[in-house]
Amino acid sequence: MATTAPEDEYTAEPFLPSHGGLTALRKAAAECRGCPLHREATQTVFGKGDTDARVMLVGEQPGDQEDRQGEPFVGPAGRLLDRALAEAGIDPSQAYVTNAVKHFKFTRSGPGKRRIHKAPSLREMTACGPWLAAELNLVEPELIVVLGATAGKALLGSSFRVTQQRGALLEAEIHGHKERVVATIHPSAVLRADDRDAVYRGFVSDLKVAARALD
Ligand code: URA
Ligand code: SF4
């Protein structure tokens, strides 16, 4: 009988390669079974970008489009993110883009059984953490941009509050390294907002803090 690890034992750790660069990491992540999220998702969506990227952007988890295409931030939230980055003065193609959780979590609802994003649990975020730690070790970005509450909690701890900590240059100990961090809202929050223009401007203004920190 197939057994599933108890929830408090979820971890990606045994799937990490002992050596190699981003290519080895991405290949190993494709086989990760560290938590149950791999079962329903199409594929692992690993980070994208170069080892020498100066800035690392961390989102929550892949969405429907990312799950199908296998790349982070290629759906509507990603298009908005690219536009906002460019406006803030950060070249999206120079950034390393990844997520706190590497598999899409969803529920099905409505007549067409559309796949609706579901927030990952703390255990799933913790389980997936070793991948992000390994990405940070290889890329060693000068700055991390945290996109939204989930990424914030994954990197800065459960007391993180995006409303209080956004738009400022922070210093934090992350996976044993001292890192410079700018937190902001998730681009999906802009798409969902009633007052989209104002929320978008706030998003760009936070990203400008990140752009200045890279000057
Ligand atoms: N939202 C995320 O947090 N990450 C993606 O890759 C896409 C949407
Ligand atoms: Fe592994 Fe992360 Fe996917 Fe869970 S979500 S199976 S830990 S890659």
Side-chain angles (χ1 to χ4, degrees):
M1 193 175 78
T3 53
T4 309
E7 262 190 89
D8 58 356
E9 288 172 21
Y10 292 170
T11 176
E13 204 68 65
F15 300 91
L16 264 81
S18 56
H19 61 277
L22 283 173
T23 309
L25 213 55
R26 182 175 293 108
K27 209 166 151 215
E31 305 302 322
C32 185
R33 305 286 180 265
C35 83
L37 293 189
H38 68 89
R39 290 200 211 121
E40 302 289 330
T42 310
Q43 58 192 318
T44 306
V45 178
F46 203 68
K48 187 171 75 172
D50 285 347
T51 356
D52 54 12
R54 294 178 62 205
V55 56
M56 183 181 286
L57 303 165
V58 184
E60 180 184 271
Q61 62 160 333
D64 177 78
Q65 287 299 316
E66 289 78 17
D67 173 76
R68 293 170 200 272
Q69 296 181 42
E71 285 190 16
F73 285 107
V74 290
R79 281 192 291 278
L80 186 132
L81 174 62
D82 283 357
R83 182 155 69 88
L85 282 171
E87 218 170 292
I90 298 174
D91 182 350
S93 68
Q94 300 290 307
Y96 187 92
V97 185
T98 192
N99 286 298
V101 169
K102 270 44 173 184
H103 275 106
F104 179 37
K105 183 176 183 181
F106 58 92
T107 49
R108 288 185 189 274
S109 91
K113 293 272 179 217
R114 219 157 58 84
R115 304 193 302 172
I116 310 294
H117 157 276
K118 196 172 171 204
S121 71
L122 180 61
R123 289 192 197 284
E124 289 153 353
M125 282 178 346
T126 307
C128 212
W131 293 118
L132 191 57
E135 288 173 295
L136 278 168
N137 260 329
L138 287 171
V139 178
E140 296 187 307
E142 289 166 43
L143 181 74
I144 301 170
V145 176
V146 159
L147 300 169
T150 300
K153 287 180 199 303
L155 285 171
L156 303 167
S158 57
S159 64
F160 173 80
R161 295 288 174 273
V162 67
T163 46
Q164 285 163 30
Q165 280 156 287
R166 64 180 291 187
L169 183 58
L170 313 170
E171 280 215 345
E173 171 112 359
I174 297 172
H175 294 296
H177 295 275
K178 212 176 192 134
E179 304 280 5
R180 298 196 310 155
V181 178
V182 172
T184 184
I185 55 171
H186 193 281
S188 299
V190 180
L191 295 172
R192 281 195 307 266
D194 293 328
D195 191 0
R196 237 197 233 202
D197 285 351
V199 176
Y200 179 75
R201 281 196 302 275
F203 183 46
V204 172
S205 129
D206 291 348
L207 293 174
K208 282 185 179 163
V209 175
R212 277 198 296 275
L214 288 165
D215 271 349

